[in-house]
Amino acid sequence: MTRRTFTWRDGLILVAAVVGIVVTFRLGLWQLSRVDEKEAQQAAMDAREQLPAIPPAALVAAREPAQTDPLLHRAVRLDGQWLPDATVFLDNRSMDGRAGFFVLTPLRLAGDAGVVLVLRGWAPRNFQQRDALPPVPTPAGPVAVTGRVMERVPAVFALGQESGGRIRQNLDLGAYRVETGLPLAATLVQQTGPASDGLQRDWPPPATGVDRNYGYAFQWFGLCTLMALLFLWFQVVRPFLRSPRA
């Protein structure tokens, strides 16, 4: 049997195959490491939700990330009065498969201890009149609100720059603070509990996105395997089958 000569072209193909296999395999491992990180974050969030409620003063005093991060997902109880004139309706938000608005209203804490923006709940939209605001009664007197601390409201895709007004796509807490002139806390509160004031609160658990990372890992490992199989077939198996035998 004649031995096949190893050429410079074979060398380039070998180097390219090894580099591609190593890179895609490492990328697959990196995606799995991201899964571990996100699962650890989820466990930390679940543990924080079981801790005792934080005092409102701690929520208002926290300004820097080093102060606010330990408070995220913690339970809190707020006593104060709504500021309904500053209510914002975030459009294109769904709950239980229905389209509508997220409703946010600032709450001035009792004793004028500060102002916290509260994600009060979800309200359905009027499909006959898309710019109509849903009826959301807002109590005028003192109220007690229970909820969990959030860093921000998840954003949705929007065309162009956000404008003011009652109905918006997204809300940036810093810009909203400047717009209203209110001494808002650096975080906001997602109200929990049964439906009230015409608002539903069937909040889904925070999504960590591990399914997406598993999908990316599968793709990278699949590509790695494909390159290895193609290299073996075209550079090893097929030349062997086609080579003359004594």
Side-chain angles (χ1 to χ4, degrees):
M1 180 175 66
T2 303
R3 183 182 299 274
R4 180 176 178 269
T5 303
F6 187 84
T7 66
W8 64 268
R9 180 175 177 274
D10 295 325
L12 289 177
I13 293 175
L14 175 61
V15 170
V18 170
V19 171
I21 291 170
V22 170
V23 169
T24 51
F25 185 75
R26 294 283 297 176
L27 287 170
L29 292 179
W30 176 69
Q31 288 295 335
L32 292 181
S33 70
R34 290 289 296 148
V35 169
D36 293 337
E37 292 175 7
K38 291 184 177 181
E39 287 180 341
Q41 293 173 358
Q42 183 63 57
M45 287 190 293
D46 294 341
R48 287 181 183 179
E49 290 180 356
Q50 304 305 316
L51 295 175
I54 61 174
L59 185 65
V60 174
R63 290 294 174 182
E64 301 299 325
Q67 300 170 319
T68 59
D69 287 351
L71 304 180
L72 298 180
H73 310 288
R74 292 282 302 272
V76 65
R77 175 191 164 96
L78 305 175
D79 295 291
Q81 189 168 354
W82 295 116
L83 301 176
D85 291 342
T87 295
V88 172
F89 297 79
L90 298 187
D91 201 359
N92 294 320
R93 307 303 171 113
S94 62
M95 185 168 287
D96 297 333
R98 302 170 60 198
F101 300 93
F102 280 175
V103 181
L104 296 99
T105 303
L107 182 75
R108 187 179 299 278
L109 300 181
D112 203 18
V115 181
V116 177
L117 184 62
V118 179
L119 175 55
R120 298 171 58 190
W122 175 91
R125 72 155 45 254
N126 184 335
F127 288 97
Q128 280 69 44
Q129 188 177 355
R130 295 186 62 84
D131 59 347
L133 296 176
V136 179
T138 302
V143 295
V145 175
T146 58
R148 63 176 64 91
V149 182
M150 298 179 64
E151 183 179 12
R152 60 185 177 273
V153 180
V156 298
F157 178 76
L159 293 173
Q161 187 176 3
E162 285 294 330
S163 59
R166 304 278 273 183
I167 298 178
R168 313 182 186 191
Q169 292 294 319
N170 297 298
L171 185 141
D172 178 83
L173 190 57
Y176 180 74
R177 183 185 298 111
V178 174
E179 174 189 335
T180 60
L182 296 171
L184 290 169
T187 53
L188 54 89
V189 170
Q190 182 186 69
Q191 187 175 355
T192 55
S196 63
D197 300 333
L199 298 169
Q200 297 182 29
R201 302 187 183 93
D202 299 325
W203 305 115
T208 57
V210 293
D211 292 340
R212 184 167 60 251
N213 292 107
Y214 274 125
Y216 291 154
F218 177 80
Q219 292 175 8
W220 286 122
F221 287 135
L223 184 58
C224 175
T225 303
L226 178 61
M227 285 192 291
L229 292 175
L230 290 175
F231 176 81
L232 289 174
W233 173 254
F234 286 105
Q235 296 301 113
V236 179
V237 176
R238 194 169 74 163
F240 174 79
L241 296 176
R242 297 176 62 180
S243 63
R245 293 170 175 78

